[in-house]
Amino acid sequence: MDKNTTTALILFALVLIGFNWFNQPSKEEIEQMRQQDSIAQVEKLKAEQQAQEAKKNAQKQAEEARKAAAADTTAAFHTALAGTASDIVLKNEKLELTLSTKGATVTKAVVKGFKDREENTDVTLFDEKDQQLKFMLAGKDINIITSDLFFNAEDVSDSTVTFTAEASQGKVLKMTYKLGPDYMLHASLRAEGMSGMFAPNYHEMDIEWSERCRQQEKGFTFENQRSALTYHFTDGGTDYLNETKEHVDKAIDESIDWVAFKNQYFSAVMISRNNFQQNALMTSVPQKKETHYLKQYGARLKTAFDPKGEQSSDFEFYFGPNDFRLLQDVEKQSTFGKDLEMERLVYLGWPLIRYINRWFTLYVFDWLTKLGLNMGIVLILITLLLKAITFPMVKKSYMSSAKMRVLKPKLEEATKQYNKPEDQMQKQQAMMAEYSKYGVSPLSGCLPMLIQMPIWIAMFNYVPNAIQLRGESFLWMKDLSTFDPILQWTKDIWLIGDHLSLTCVLFCVANVLYSWLTMRQQKDQMVGQQAEQMKMMQYMMFLMPVMFFFIFNDYSSGLNFYYFISLFFSAAIMWTLRKTTNDEKLLAILEARYKKNQANPQRKTGGLAARMEALQKRAEQLQKEKEERERMKGK
């Protein structure tokens, strides 16, 4: 830097310092700025107070509107707005429902024969604190909300009850329930003599249904990931609200015929004969772990209502387990004549995976379960069956690798002149030509491995949703449907949670063993620099079990156990094939094939090897053309 440049920089710095000093605020200006900040702060607080007041006023207006609606109801149902709530119990061998005369709806549902997470003999899906259901009718001068009314109970038995609320002489709102032999509750709402209370064109009613879904299993995170508000379209097919995201009043564009408040193994389902109209509003808000609730569910619906009372508004409710076969059987008890597809409450995966589980896994599982075997043994037998089915493909994959392994010295000799980075294309072509001479396809082992992947994914979707595993013990695992902790602590650790699952550790260890065997097999067949390039792949392969640990530590011991024994058997099969393969005999077979090919010069390379060779030649030709064009441009 010369003297002039240094002088210029010093002068520029002095000018900046002087400018800043000259423009700094005076004490009076600083005090004025402080006052302005104080005024801004006061105005901000005032705005916040006004917003809070506006919110309170809105809540007050909503409460006044509700009271006004109740007052309107009082005019017609003055005798039904006062009383004492009493409970009516409907029950069979599998289900016990408590219905209240206040609102004439189910306030408690107990599913018998299934232990809850606290080892109680029955599972309580919800009680009066957790679920609310109300039917709302908009009349000409009144609003009728069933949750505000006290009904009279008539014709009471263990399976039936009729609730009536009288508006005035001859004007009655009637709600009838009948419990089926399993988990289906039939209901109908009918207005008698009330047509004059509604507008001539009034033919629908509003329904508000909400539930705070209880945690039923030991593993909160795992259960929450499989709990979702689910609904069925009238034209067929189901959808659900994302399990991990918050949804408030999400509009459903199509008409639906049932809504399910679903957790992992149990559901409360509401079905309408006349469907729920378009633009139903659905809510699903995930809850915090310490609350022991999974989701806050809500559904705001519209369906047909006949003020004349000629047609009743019919509903069916399902309160029970998410068992695929059971749901199919219970659906036959429906009187609506619809294909409800309630078995879709048991998620079997996206289309291809669902077909595997629907037409293979389910039947095998049913067959083994009927033998009365322990569920752990069933998982082992399913694993062995799948290994037996895929063994021919696995063996083909292994033999393809073995052939490349014994040909490795010949490949290194044939490609030793192509060691420069720019010669890699010629090296690959020379390798393919060498493979072709011996009738070996380097990619023949890939397809069998890809075929096995859908089976892994299918079991990933099936096992966590198989209620047959719930509460079943095997070896050290007390419950195959949830994690099996060898260590537990009180506070969650990031990415790990509050426990260490033994089957997850075993699965990860088996994954490391299998990865090591696989990488060793691949390394044995690599030529030249390929072996060095495989080191990075090795690190990635060994990193995967670590990633799996953080993912699967919360998963069910049944799923981890299946993956553990599956990988164990895969490693055992690979080790056995390696020990029983005679490399010298295999090389002799390949040499005989090579001589046979030499004796037939007219033989053309076929299959995948020929296509790969053609592609490489085409790529080489394109590269030469590109280099020629660049050379011509240089001239």
Side-chain angles (χ1 to χ4, degrees), residues 229-245:
L229 189 152
T230 307
Y231 45 91
H232 183 265
F233 298 111
T234 305
D235 295 332
T238 58
D239 203 352
Y240 59 93
L241 302 186
N242 187 286
E243 304 95 329
T244 59
K245 295 182 180 179

Side-chain angles (χ1 to χ4, degrees), residues 334-401:
S334 173
T335 60
F336 296 166
K338 296 181 176 182
D339 184 10
L340 297 173
E341 298 183 297
M342 289 179 62
E343 68 275 7
R344 289 288 190 100
L345 287 170
V346 181
Y347 183 70
L348 298 179
W350 44 273
L352 174 61
I353 304 303
R354 184 168 66 243
Y355 288 130
I356 294 174
N357 282 327
R358 175 68 181 83
W359 301 109
F360 175 76
T361 311
L362 267 169
Y363 283 97
V364 174
F365 205 84
D366 290 345
W367 171 58
L368 293 173
T369 303
K370 289 177 181 178
L371 297 177
L373 300 173
N374 181 278
M375 287 297 111
I377 301 297
V378 169
L379 289 174
I380 293 174
L381 292 177
I382 287 178
T383 306
L384 290 173
L385 178 61
L386 292 173
K387 293 301 176 186
I389 293 173
T390 58
F391 178 74
M393 294 179 289
V394 172
K395 185 176 181 180
K396 181 179 180 181
S397 174
Y398 174 80
M399 293 307 298
S400 176
S401 299

Side-chain angles (χ1 to χ4, degrees), residues 430-445:
M431 289 174 61
M432 292 303 299
E434 200 70 15
Y435 283 136
S436 179
K437 292 177 184 179
Y438 290 92
V440 175
S441 175
L443 298 181
S444 62

Side-chain angles (χ1 to χ4, degrees), residues 231-338:
Y231 45 91
H232 183 265
F233 298 111
T234 305
D235 295 332
T238 58
D239 203 352
Y240 59 93
L241 302 186
N242 187 286
E243 304 95 329
T244 59
K245 295 182 180 179
E246 179 176 318
H247 303 271
V248 178
D249 287 344
K250 179 181 178 181
I252 310 303
D253 296 333
E254 303 178 44
S255 65
I256 58 179
D257 48 26
W258 59 255
V259 180
F261 294 163
K262 173 184 177 293
N263 64 6
Q264 185 177 3
Y265 291 122
F266 301 93
S267 290
V269 186
M270 184 180 186
I271 311 163
S272 174
R273 177 191 292 275
N274 296 311
N275 307 329
F276 298 116
Q277 298 174 9
Q278 296 176 355
N279 296 317
L281 301 178
M282 304 297 183
T283 295
S284 176
V285 180
Q287 304 295 288
K288 294 182 179 179
K289 182 177 181 179
E290 57 269 20
T291 65
H292 298 299
Y293 285 91
L294 304 172
K295 302 283 196 312
Q296 176 65 56
Y297 289 137
R300 297 166 63 184
L301 312 162
K302 289 182 181 291
T303 191
F305 172 72
D306 181 11
K308 297 179 181 180
E310 296 175 358
Q311 297 289 333
S312 60
S313 298
D314 296 330
F315 305 93
E316 290 174 337
F317 296 87
Y318 175 83
F319 304 107
N322 299 328
D323 184 319
F324 191 93
R325 298 302 186 194
L326 173 65
L327 287 165
Q328 286 182 319
D329 292 338
V330 171
E331 185 176 320
K332 296 175 184 176
Q333 300 175 21
S334 173
T335 60
F336 296 166
K338 296 181 176 182

Side-chain angles (χ1 to χ4, degrees), residues 55 68 81 90 100 155 163 176 178 194 261 276 304 306 322 324 344 347 371 380 401 420 476 491 519 526 557 607 624:
K55 185 178 180 180
L81 282 170
L90 304 182
S100 176
D155 302 326
F163 293 106
T176 303
K178 181 179 180 181
M194 296 174 59
F261 294 163
F276 298 116
D306 181 11
N322 299 328
F324 191 93
R344 289 288 190 100
Y347 183 70
L371 297 177
I380 293 174
S401 299
K420 297 179 181 179
W476 68 89
K491 293 185 179 180
M519 297 303 296
M526 294 298 172
S557 57
K624 288 181 178 180

Side-chain angles (χ1 to χ4, degrees), residues 587-633:
L587 181 59
I589 293 172
L590 294 175
E591 290 287 2
R593 184 183 297 174
Y594 174 52
K595 292 178 180 179
K596 183 179 179 181
N597 293 339
Q598 278 186 321
N600 183 16
Q602 301 300 322
R603 175 186 174 274
K604 293 183 179 180
T605 303
L608 182 62
R611 291 192 293 272
M612 290 292 295
E613 187 175 350
L615 287 172
Q616 289 182 347
K617 287 182 178 180
R618 177 58 179 164
E620 184 179 16
Q621 181 182 352
L622 292 173
Q623 181 65 25
K624 288 181 178 180
E625 291 176 356
K626 180 180 178 181
E627 292 174 356
E628 182 64 22
R629 287 195 299 269
E630 291 177 353
R631 188 179 65 82
M632 294 299 294
K633 287 181 180 179

